[in-house]
Amino acid sequence: MSSNASSVGIVSAQRALFETPLPLAGGTVLPSYELVFETYGQLNAARSNAILICHALSGHHHVAGRYSEDDKAAGWWDNMIGPGKPIDTNRFFVVGLNNLGGCHGSTGPSSIDPASGQPWGSRFPVVTVPDWVTAQARLADRLGVERWAAVIGGSLGGMQALQWSINYPERVANALVIASAPKLSAQNIAFNDVARQAIITDPDFCGGDFYAQGTIPRRGLRLARMLGHITYLSDDGMGEKFGRMLRSGEYKFGYDVEFEIESYLRYQGDKFSDYFDANTYLLMTKALDYFDPAKDYGGDLVAALQRATANFLVASFTSDWRFSPERSRETVKALIAAGKRVAYAEIESVHGHDAFLMTDEPYMNLMRAYLQRVAVEVAA
Amino acid sequence: MSQPVSALRPDLQMIADWVSPGSRVLDLGCGEGDLLAWLQAHKQVSAYGVDFDVNNVVRCVAANVNAIQGDLEAGLAEFADQRFDHVVLSQTIQAMHNTEQILLEMLRVGREAIVTFPNFGYWENRWQILKGRMPVSDDMPYQWYNTPNIHWCMLGDFDELCAKNGLRVLERVVMTGGRRVTFLPNLRGSLAFYRVTRG
């Protein structure tokens, strides 16, 4: 149904090789690395109209458009980004990348370690949100972007936007932090650990070096994704979509797939385990768990945000219980206490945490209004 | 950078006149952000608004006003003590359940509260009651069965609420149809404006 007029059209990925070693928060140094990224729209002469899109746990650089005419799936945020869309590629130069440690082309656990000629596997270092932001800043340098008109992300992507505003205050004009949190709660870390345990205890995981064994810890990945997926939906949303619907219309009194929700989750899990790397999943969940920008400031988020000079948009969704509105309010409260410019919206939605990827009308209106303001601000 | 801001509604202009240039302002129930947009353009205030309605937040965002979506009935937990010079509650207090609490919250987060409300003691209201009907007017445009306004008061009632809580009324203005009323205000005034601070 999306007409070509509002699509960025056919896109292709680019790669950038970085040979300056990258010191990581965990203490190790990555000697060199590659980042894969896509761009849409044109960087203006003043180089003032660039927007960085930060992805969440399972996201990547393919944010909008399609790879070919008959490509069935568009980029993961194609409803938000394109000509005339809230993130309007007629006005903005939009950059999406696959983060370090990812499994969509950027250097990660499944890449070949040049030192050994083998996949990194278990030896790939854990990277953190600040590490990603540093790597993204180097990509910005490479693209000639001194200051982002906006850094935008949902969930784990929102954490990167917040971190950008603190680590590179002079390089971010606006930070859009959507369905995110200033740090994870114990419950959130607990969900992540169950997911990790599912992967790590899968015999096919082989301690992370399954590539050489020719195996994939499919069962673990599948369970991790199924669990994650439950937490991304709301009880109401799930009830509305699946209820207690049975595939065959009657109980079979057995343990095969009977309820539609079982079928749906298994399908999602299977699909995910076909393309996602188990080590990347572990790494991404760890990056989530470790995220706590206040930690370096004695646990004081207000002090951490004091450095920021960006304007902020914070948004949450009423049925999101994985990153609930209360968590976004913590960010808002700290931003206000730090005297920052911030707008906050709590969008009514049944889509749970996934709502940040959906097309709820007030959400689209909010993004459109904010980004129109940004466009005026940067003369895009 | 700020867009041209059209003339303010007379009652909002009255409030704007009380706001000092360059001050920190919090507008509770800020609607589409008209007052704050005007104050930002003309008095260089740094401001936040709070509104319950997401559509209002979107309009505020478009108008370059910092709007925080929230429910005033839940208090002002997002705001630290004495963060603002002026805290505005414009024609909203009569629709709130926690009337007394919001008044105290306003003076927790701010130095001075500006509260405006339709004066129930206005003669036209009294006249409609004498005729046996609940008052309906420009400032109170609802029927009894659909009004959000649940806590009506007159000037004396508000004075008393302030006194009970040890609050000092710095200034009071009463208006009708956009014009100030000084003679018999509680009878001739349809809209009351108060500047209140801690005693």
Side-chain angles (χ1 to χ4, degrees), chain A residues 6 54 76 102 106 121 157 173 193 199 201 208 221 240 271 276 282 288-289 314 325 360:
Chain A
S6 63
C54 302
W76 58 266
S106 290
D193 194 48
I199 292 170
T201 59
L221 262 172
E240 217 169 80
K271 201 172 71 171
F276 209 82
L282 299 182
L288 275 162
D289 292 1
V314 179
D360 290 305

mmCIF file of all heavy atoms in Angstrom, chain A residues 6 54 76 102 106 121 157 173 193 199 201 208 221 240 271 276 282 288-289 314 325 360:
data_model
loop_
_atom_site.group_PDB
_atom_site.id
_atom_site.type_symbol
_atom_site.label_atom_id
_atom_site.label_comp_id
_atom_site.label_asym_id
_atom_site.label_seq_id
_atom_site.Cartn_x
_atom_site.Cartn_y
_atom_site.Cartn_z
ATOM 1 N N SER A 6 6.276 7.966 -1.595
ATOM 2 C CA SER A 6 6.690 8.255 -0.229
ATOM 3 C C SER A 6 7.794 7.309 0.243
ATOM 4 O O SER A 6 8.057 7.191 1.409
ATOM 5 C CB SER A 6 5.497 8.167 0.712
ATOM 6 O OG SER A 6 4.999 6.854 0.711
ATOM 7 N N CYS A 54 19.575 5.373 15.296
ATOM 8 C CA CYS A 54 20.244 4.323 16.072
ATOM 9 C C CYS A 54 19.290 3.147 16.229
ATOM 10 O O CYS A 54 18.133 3.331 16.615
ATOM 11 C CB CYS A 54 20.634 4.854 17.443
ATOM 12 S SG CYS A 54 21.713 6.289 17.382
ATOM 13 N N TRP A 76 13.423 -1.313 8.310
ATOM 14 C CA TRP A 76 12.617 -1.505 9.524
ATOM 15 C C TRP A 76 11.869 -0.250 9.994
ATOM 16 O O TRP A 76 10.958 -0.353 10.795
ATOM 17 C CB TRP A 76 13.455 -2.102 10.641
ATOM 18 C CG TRP A 76 14.670 -1.293 11.043
ATOM 19 C CD1 TRP A 76 15.934 -1.446 10.568
ATOM 20 C CD2 TRP A 76 14.735 -0.225 12.006
ATOM 21 N NE1 TRP A 76 16.788 -0.545 11.161
ATOM 22 C CE2 TRP A 76 16.084 0.213 12.056
ATOM 23 C CE3 TRP A 76 13.811 0.397 12.847
ATOM 24 C CZ2 TRP A 76 16.503 1.253 12.890
ATOM 25 C CZ3 TRP A 76 14.228 1.430 13.673
ATOM 26 C CH2 TRP A 76 15.563 1.847 13.692
ATOM 27 N N GLY A 102 27.303 -6.175 15.677
ATOM 28 C CA GLY A 102 26.084 -6.621 15.020
ATOM 29 C C GLY A 102 26.347 -7.803 14.102
ATOM 30 O O GLY A 102 27.488 -8.294 13.992
ATOM 31 N N SER A 106 28.406 -5.165 9.886
ATOM 32 C CA SER A 106 29.458 -4.481 10.639
ATOM 33 C C SER A 106 30.271 -5.532 11.389
ATOM 34 O O SER A 106 29.809 -6.648 11.610
ATOM 35 C CB SER A 106 28.845 -3.486 11.627
ATOM 36 O OG SER A 106 28.298 -2.408 10.921
ATOM 37 N N GLY A 121 33.890 -15.059 17.261
ATOM 38 C CA GLY A 121 33.188 -15.922 18.209
ATOM 39 C C GLY A 121 33.284 -15.407 19.631
ATOM 40 O O GLY A 121 33.086 -14.215 19.887
ATOM 41 N N GLY A 157 18.065 2.012 20.960
ATOM 42 C CA GLY A 157 18.449 3.136 20.093
ATOM 43 C C GLY A 157 18.288 4.469 20.815
ATOM 44 O O GLY A 157 19.092 5.388 20.636
ATOM 45 N N ALA A 173 22.187 18.447 17.952
ATOM 46 C CA ALA A 173 21.250 19.554 18.148
ATOM 47 C C ALA A 173 19.955 19.067 18.797
ATOM 48 O O ALA A 173 19.342 19.782 19.591
ATOM 49 C CB ALA A 173 20.943 20.233 16.815
ATOM 50 N N ASP A 193 18.727 -11.895 30.993
ATOM 51 C CA ASP A 193 19.554 -13.021 31.393
ATOM 52 C C ASP A 193 18.901 -14.352 31.052
ATOM 53 O O ASP A 193 19.588 -15.296 30.673
ATOM 54 C CB ASP A 193 19.903 -12.962 32.881
ATOM 55 C CG ASP A 193 21.038 -13.935 33.182
ATOM 56 O OD1 ASP A 193 22.041 -13.906 32.426
ATOM 57 O OD2 ASP A 193 20.909 -14.758 34.098
ATOM 58 N N ILE A 199 20.438 -19.221 25.235
ATOM 59 C CA ILE A 199 21.452 -19.353 24.178
ATOM 60 C C ILE A 199 22.681 -20.103 24.685
ATOM 61 O O ILE A 199 23.149 -21.066 24.071
ATOM 62 C CB ILE A 199 21.853 -17.957 23.642
ATOM 63 C CG1 ILE A 199 20.676 -17.328 22.877
ATOM 64 C CG2 ILE A 199 23.094 -18.056 22.763
ATOM 65 C CD1 ILE A 199 20.865 -15.876 22.520
ATOM 66 N N THR A 201 23.150 -22.118 27.150
ATOM 67 C CA THR A 201 22.992 -23.522 27.548
ATOM 68 C C THR A 201 22.592 -24.425 26.379
ATOM 69 O O THR A 201 22.452 -25.627 26.557
ATOM 70 C CB THR A 201 21.951 -23.665 28.679
ATOM 71 O OG1 THR A 201 20.698 -23.133 28.209
ATOM 72 C CG2 THR A 201 22.385 -22.923 29.935
ATOM 73 N N GLY A 208 30.246 -20.268 22.304
ATOM 74 C CA GLY A 208 30.326 -19.078 21.455
ATOM 75 C C GLY A 208 31.092 -19.330 20.171
ATOM 76 O O GLY A 208 31.092 -18.501 19.269
ATOM 77 N N LEU A 221 18.431 -19.409 20.527
ATOM 78 C CA LEU A 221 18.040 -18.153 19.893
ATOM 79 C C LEU A 221 16.515 -18.032 19.798
ATOM 80 O O LEU A 221 15.937 -16.976 20.041
ATOM 81 C CB LEU A 221 18.599 -18.094 18.475
ATOM 82 C CG LEU A 221 19.889 -17.325 18.273
ATOM 83 C CD1 LEU A 221 20.388 -17.535 16.857
ATOM 84 C CD2 LEU A 221 19.678 -15.833 18.542
ATOM 85 N N GLU A 240 -5.989 -9.059 21.897
ATOM 86 C CA GLU A 240 -6.780 -8.572 20.769
ATOM 87 C C GLU A 240 -6.460 -9.374 19.503
ATOM 88 O O GLU A 240 -7.343 -9.728 18.731
ATOM 89 C CB GLU A 240 -6.416 -7.114 20.526
ATOM 90 C CG GLU A 240 -7.558 -6.221 20.115
ATOM 91 C CD GLU A 240 -7.100 -4.770 20.175
ATOM 92 O OE1 GLU A 240 -6.419 -4.340 19.222
ATOM 93 O OE2 GLU A 240 -7.396 -4.101 21.188
ATOM 94 N N LYS A 271 12.035 -17.804 12.575
ATOM 95 C CA LYS A 271 12.490 -16.822 11.591
ATOM 96 C C LYS A 271 13.759 -16.138 12.095
ATOM 97 O O LYS A 271 14.746 -15.995 11.374
ATOM 98 C CB LYS A 271 11.366 -15.796 11.364
ATOM 99 C CG LYS A 271 11.460 -15.042 10.065
ATOM 100 C CD LYS A 271 10.224 -14.185 9.819
ATOM 101 C CE LYS A 271 10.188 -13.004 10.753
ATOM 102 N NZ LYS A 271 9.139 -12.017 10.440
ATOM 103 N N PHE A 276 19.686 -14.345 12.782
ATOM 104 C CA PHE A 276 20.382 -13.545 13.796
ATOM 105 C C PHE A 276 21.494 -14.341 14.454
ATOM 106 O O PHE A 276 21.368 -15.538 14.686
ATOM 107 C CB PHE A 276 19.395 -13.045 14.848
ATOM 108 C CG PHE A 276 19.817 -11.743 15.479
ATOM 109 C CD1 PHE A 276 19.562 -10.541 14.836
ATOM 110 C CD2 PHE A 276 20.501 -11.724 16.690
ATOM 111 C CE1 PHE A 276 19.971 -9.335 15.401
ATOM 112 C CE2 PHE A 276 20.912 -10.519 17.252
ATOM 113 C CZ PHE A 276 20.641 -9.327 16.603
ATOM 114 N N LEU A 282 23.705 -11.957 22.559
ATOM 115 C CA LEU A 282 24.274 -11.833 23.911
ATOM 116 C C LEU A 282 24.846 -10.439 24.117
ATOM 117 O O LEU A 282 24.619 -9.783 25.137
ATOM 118 C CB LEU A 282 25.384 -12.866 24.126
ATOM 119 C CG LEU A 282 25.020 -14.351 24.016
ATOM 120 C CD1 LEU A 282 26.248 -15.202 24.299
ATOM 121 C CD2 LEU A 282 23.904 -14.696 25.006
ATOM 122 N N LEU A 288 22.569 -3.388 26.733
ATOM 123 C CA LEU A 288 21.379 -2.871 27.417
ATOM 124 C C LEU A 288 21.597 -2.860 28.930
ATOM 125 O O LEU A 288 21.345 -1.856 29.607
ATOM 126 C CB LEU A 288 20.169 -3.761 27.099
ATOM 127 C CG LEU A 288 19.392 -3.477 25.829
ATOM 128 C CD1 LEU A 288 18.533 -4.685 25.458
ATOM 129 C CD2 LEU A 288 18.503 -2.248 26.000
ATOM 130 N N ASP A 289 22.035 -4.000 29.452
ATOM 131 C CA ASP A 289 22.183 -4.131 30.912
ATOM 132 C C ASP A 289 23.176 -3.113 31.481
ATOM 133 O O ASP A 289 22.965 -2.562 32.559
ATOM 134 C CB ASP A 289 22.688 -5.539 31.271
ATOM 135 C CG ASP A 289 21.653 -6.615 30.990
ATOM 136 O OD1 ASP A 289 20.561 -6.272 30.511
ATOM 137 O OD2 ASP A 289 21.952 -7.805 31.244
ATOM 138 N N VAL A 314 11.166 13.237 24.286
ATOM 139 C CA VAL A 314 11.060 11.921 24.923
ATOM 140 C C VAL A 314 9.636 11.438 24.688
ATOM 141 O O VAL A 314 8.683 12.212 24.858
ATOM 142 C CB VAL A 314 11.374 12.004 26.435
ATOM 143 C CG1 VAL A 314 11.233 10.639 27.096
ATOM 144 C CG2 VAL A 314 12.772 12.569 26.662
ATOM 145 N N PRO A 325 6.231 3.965 30.584
ATOM 146 C CA PRO A 325 6.244 5.428 30.644
ATOM 147 C C PRO A 325 6.944 5.970 31.893
ATOM 148 O O PRO A 325 7.624 6.985 31.814
ATOM 149 C CB PRO A 325 4.753 5.788 30.643
ATOM 150 C CG PRO A 325 4.096 4.680 29.891
ATOM 151 C CD PRO A 325 4.882 3.437 30.252
ATOM 152 N N ASP A 360 0.920 4.554 15.084
ATOM 153 C CA ASP A 360 -0.164 5.185 15.837
ATOM 154 C C ASP A 360 -0.180 6.679 15.497
ATOM 155 O O ASP A 360 0.863 7.331 15.501
ATOM 156 C CB ASP A 360 0.044 4.988 17.344
ATOM 157 C CG ASP A 360 -0.173 3.532 17.762
ATOM 158 O OD1 ASP A 360 -1.247 2.998 17.464
ATOM 159 O OD2 ASP A 360 0.740 2.940 18.369
#
